[in-house]
Amino acid sequence: LNDQATRFPLMLDRLASIGLNSACVLPMSTAHRKLGSLAFASHAEDAYLPDEQRFLSLVTNQIAVAIDDARAQQRLRLLLGLTNQVVSKLRLPELLQEISASIRQVMQCDGVVVSLPDPEDGELRRYSMDCPRHEEILAKPCSDREKAVFRTGQPLNLTRQELTGEEIAADSDSPASGVNNSISLLPLLGRERVVGVLGLGSSRENAFTEEDLALLGQVANQIAISVENASAYGEISQLNDRLARENVYLESELRTELHFGDIVGNSPALERVLREIETVAPTDSTVLIYGETGTGKELIARAVHNLSSRKSNAFVKLNCAAIPTGLLESELFGHERGAFTGAITQRVGRFELAHRGTIFLDEIGDIPLELQPKLLRVLQEREFERLGSTRTLRTDARLIAATNRDLKAMVEEQNFRSDLYYRLNVFPIRVPALRERREDIPLLVRHFVQQFSRQTNRVINSIPSETMEALVRYHWPGNIRELQNVIERAVIISKSPVLNVALAELKADAIPSASQAAPKATPAEQKNLQDVLEETERTQILRALEACDGVITGPNGAAARLGIKRSTLQLRMQRLGIRRTRTAFVDPRGTPG
């Protein structure tokens, strides 16, 4: 170590301090690149003569070739390893974490970060990082340079002279931890778009050469493939989950299916309904089915769906009156995990399940007022948000609604939104009550007898004429559902091939038969008696409405005054033709109440 050795003063001073008197420092490089230097030191003075220097130079060249080869092998293994990881792992978080660690080790940098767009709002966010204090840096927003690379798809290789003071600082938003003297940002180029940004930071100046950038470009391409594969895998998983949920839903629908699979009857009233179904089914218009309870409104809705172009997709139904008010929004639109107490998993709503199919909302009049604007938005804009989420989802579901209530009267009473009513009432279909299609009763009786006979392994091949006449004369306030239950019970109690119907259990409002009446009543007398009963009922209802100032519901309403349910009163008003004007109730004869 003499005074002429001034190229490495710090190293030579350190060698001298430990008693080394000679040193030989040789450049370590190949024909392609500089790799560094190799130093030899000795306690002897002038230990490295020209011959020794030439020998050590040969040794250094061999070492350089070996290191260069090992470096190339390491980079090749990095690319091969990335390929294996991309094809073997589809879960993005653990895949990116392993990739980041591998890149940091091979490139000998201080930090690696992968930034991806947020699926909710599309904003670029740091997704995976391998460096000290990674949790703290991950929480910070992406820098403007990262966003620029994501936006333009052009890489950036920044030296210390090009970095700002904030990017150099240890607490910066840059990918590295500690002082940054070099930063490289590369776009993750997918098949059709930029899917993210790969960032590397190093405390070394000019750390990333052109060769390094070429390698990192290949690495970025592999990461882009993994991101797209993971995204596709996530979409497929969601579709599989949705399909599984739909299968479970459809299986439960099959288990709760109605006991008849076809519309039975040939009465003029029913034929009118069937013509209306044939008219509206091919369109995507909203259908409002109304009629008394038990008339088969769901069967009409299924007929509309089965005759439409959506028949190959799901028919999803929901009884709005059967779901508690607090859970109805979740049932309709779904919820995110943690949206409310008890929401331990994400739930897909009925509108999402009915995408490209049909959703049938029974008892639509029972939807609370606060939920009606969201339903109106789905009908008008075809979009909604799950409960607890700000992400807007779109649905292509056709709505068929049903009710046994007078929605127009509810609008006047401000119990139902007028805009929602008019949006639902695009194509109304009124399902006639069973007493309005008495000629269909024999067909329905035989249909139910055959069905329940098969189910109970019984042989019923005869129905007494007097039994059939009694069934036809009966008023059937419960409509087809009541008839169905009566026939099922009759099949169960019949001990012979003759159907045994417990006629005595039928309600007293049946039209009297010849055998039950002492003197035989003429048709005119029967009609007069019916008129008297209807007139009496009409008078009592009008008096009650007048006494209650037209209020139907509530403890002081007409329904409570008459001792009947509100829905029953509304149905009887509809049957008797009592309608409400702005100032009073009038009966069909035009007499104000």
Side-chain angles (χ1 to χ4, degrees):
L1 302 174
N2 52 47
D3 295 337
Q4 295 179 351
T6 59
R7 292 184 61 186
F8 308 100
L10 295 177
M11 185 188 73
L12 296 179
D13 289 344
R14 181 166 295 183
L15 293 177
S17 67
I18 59 176
L20 298 173
N21 297 314
S22 298
C24 180
V25 182
L26 301 166
M28 190 165 53
S29 61
T30 66
H32 305 288
R33 63 188 60 83
K34 295 178 180 180
L35 299 174
S37 61
L38 183 62
F40 301 89
S42 174
H43 290 287
E45 294 184 0
D46 297 325
Y48 303 104
L49 299 175
D51 289 341
E52 282 79 5
Q53 293 178 21
R54 285 192 291 273
F55 174 73
L56 292 177
S57 179
L58 293 174
V59 173
T60 302
N61 290 338
Q62 294 298 316
I63 294 175
V65 171
I67 291 177
D68 191 42
D69 183 65
R71 183 169 176 267
Q73 292 293 330
Q74 186 184 34
R75 296 189 172 200
L76 180 60
R77 283 195 298 272
L78 171 63
L79 291 177
L80 292 175
L82 290 179
T83 302
N84 292 333
Q85 289 171 331
V86 166
V87 299
S88 63
K89 292 188 176 180
L90 293 174
R91 297 194 177 276
L92 198 57
E94 58 185 67
L95 174 62
L96 292 183
Q97 197 61 43
E98 291 187 11
I99 289 176
S100 300
S102 300
I103 295 174
R104 184 184 178 202
Q105 180 181 4
V106 172
M107 300 306 300
Q108 297 179 352
C109 55
D110 298 298
V112 177
V113 63
V114 178
S115 302
L116 303 175
D118 189 281
E120 294 287 340
D121 54 20
E123 287 292 322
L124 194 66
R125 287 183 172 80
R126 288 169 180 167
Y127 201 86
S128 175
M129 174 168 285
D130 185 75
C131 70
R133 301 189 303 110
H134 68 277
E135 292 183 358
E136 175 186 343
I137 300 175
L138 273 178
K140 294 184 177 182
C142 291
S143 65
D144 292 338
R145 295 194 196 259
E146 289 175 280
K147 295 178 181 178
V149 171
F150 178 71
R151 186 175 61 255
T152 64
Q154 299 298 320
L156 285 178
N157 189 34
L158 306 172
T159 63
R160 181 178 178 85
Q161 291 75 21
E162 297 170 312
L163 297 176
T164 64
E166 291 183 356
E167 290 173 323
I168 295 175
D171 60 348
S172 71
D173 293 340
S174 60
S177 65
V179 176
N180 289 317
N181 290 318
S182 301
I183 290 179
S184 181
L185 301 171
L186 299 99
L188 305 180
L189 300 176
R191 296 177 182 87
E192 299 178 352
R193 59 188 176 90
V194 180
V195 299
V197 175
L198 171 65
L200 295 89
S202 176
S203 58
R204 294 180 290 117
E205 295 187 16
N206 302 316
F208 306 108
T209 64
E210 292 296 328
E211 183 185 8
D212 293 334
L213 294 179
L215 173 67
L216 290 173
Q218 294 178 310
V219 170
N221 290 338
Q222 294 289 85
I223 296 176
I225 293 174
S226 68
V227 171
E228 289 191 323
N229 287 349
S231 177
Y233 171 75
E235 292 178 1
I236 292 173
S237 297
Q238 290 180 354
L239 290 175
N240 285 337
D241 292 343
R242 176 178 173 179
L243 181 60
R245 286 191 290 265
E246 285 184 352
N247 286 339
V248 171
Y249 172 79
L250 292 175
E251 287 173 3
S252 65
E253 286 294 290
L254 290 174
R255 288 193 297 268
T256 60
E257 183 59 277
L258 294 176
H259 291 301
F260 49 91
D262 248 332
I263 299 175
V264 177
N266 54 16
S267 63
L270 184 60
E271 288 179 354
R272 171 186 55 79
V273 173
L274 297 181
R275 287 195 299 269
E276 292 176 344
I277 292 174
E278 292 176 348
T279 301
V280 74
T283 71
D284 279 340
S285 299
T286 302
V287 178
L288 176 62
I289 304 171
Y290 64 97
E292 297 179 12
T293 299
T295 52
K297 294 186 286 296
E298 182 181 338
L299 199 62
I300 300 300
R302 287 185 182 275
V304 173
H305 171 75
N306 291 334
L307 290 176
S308 72
S309 59
R310 299 170 178 263
K311 62 182 179 181
S312 59
N313 296 313
F315 178 84
V316 179
K317 70 173 184 176
L318 178 67
N319 189 321
C320 301
I323 306 296
T325 302
L327 298 178
L328 186 56
E329 182 176 2
S330 171
E331 286 289 335
L332 287 172
F333 307 110
H335 65 252
E336 297 291 341
R337 180 179 179 182
F340 52 86
T341 302
I344 59 176
T345 59
Q346 185 189 72
R347 180 183 178 89
V348 174
R350 302 297 175 97
F351 270 99
E352 203 167 344
L353 283 172
H355 182 61
R356 296 181 180 174
T358 303
I359 182 169
F360 172 58
L361 298 184
D362 200 3
E363 306 294 351
I364 192 75
D366 288 298
I367 289 186
L369 276 171
E370 60 270 17
L371 193 55
Q372 292 178 20
K374 195 166 184 177
L375 179 59
L376 179 64
R377 182 190 175 199
V378 173
L379 294 178
Q380 291 180 336
E381 309 296 337
R382 299 287 184 179
E383 61 184 25
F384 64 95
E385 290 85 29
R386 288 180 186 156
L387 193 62
S389 172
T390 57
R391 182 184 178 189
T392 299
L393 302 175
R394 296 193 62 82
T395 181
D396 178 24
R398 180 187 192 174
L399 176 63
I400 300 177
T403 182
N404 62 356
R405 305 174 66 176
D406 187 351
L407 294 185
K408 193 171 184 180
M410 293 180 65
V411 170
E412 294 177 357
E413 296 172 2
Q414 297 185 348
N415 292 326
F416 201 85
R417 291 179 62 100
S418 59
D419 47 3
L420 178 57
Y421 167 70
Y422 293 123
R423 191 65 184 82
L424 291 171
N425 200 39
V426 175
F427 194 95
I429 296 178
R430 178 183 176 274
V431 184
L434 186 55
R435 62 182 173 274
E436 299 175 30
R437 39 182 290 218
R438 294 185 183 276
E439 51 267 66
D440 290 336
I441 292 178
L443 296 176
L444 288 167
V445 170
R446 295 187 184 97
H447 173 81
F448 290 136
V449 167
Q450 292 176 2
Q451 182 171 359
F452 293 124
S453 296
R454 288 194 300 267
Q455 292 180 3
T456 57
N457 294 320
R458 294 175 182 268
V459 178
I460 305 292
N461 52 27
S462 176
I463 304 175
S465 58
E466 60 272 15
T467 298
M468 186 67 78
E469 291 176 3
L471 293 175
V472 172
R473 287 193 304 270
Y474 181 56
H475 193 61
W476 298 112
N479 293 294
I480 297 177
R481 185 179 296 120
E482 184 182 2
L483 173 62
Q484 179 183 0
N485 294 335
V486 167
I487 299 303
E488 182 178 11
R489 183 166 61 251
V491 170
I492 293 174
I493 65 176
S494 296
K495 304 301 182 181
S496 67
V498 179
L499 184 68
N500 179 19
V501 178
L503 298 178
E505 296 181 6
L506 297 180
K507 293 184 179 179
D509 58 351
I511 299 175
S513 64
S515 60
Q516 292 171 327
K520 184 175 181 179
T522 65
E525 291 173 339
Q526 291 180 357
K527 182 181 179 188
N528 290 337
L529 177 59
Q530 185 67 24
D531 290 342
V532 170
L533 292 175
E534 289 185 356
E535 179 64 26
T536 302
E537 187 176 16
R538 180 184 294 106
T539 301
Q540 293 299 321
I541 291 176
L542 289 173
R543 287 177 179 175
L545 291 170
E546 182 180 2
C548 299
D549 294 328
V551 177
I552 295 177
T553 61
N556 298 321
R561 186 181 185 90
L562 293 170
I564 59 177
K565 293 182 179 179
R566 170 183 46 78
S567 58
T568 304
L569 175 57
Q570 290 174 335
L571 288 174
R572 292 187 180 181
M573 289 171 60
Q574 183 179 357
R575 177 170 58 83
L576 295 171
I578 300 174
R579 57 186 179 87
R580 181 176 183 174
T581 66
R582 293 184 176 272
T583 58
F585 286 88
V586 296
D587 63 25
R589 300 162 301 181
T591 306

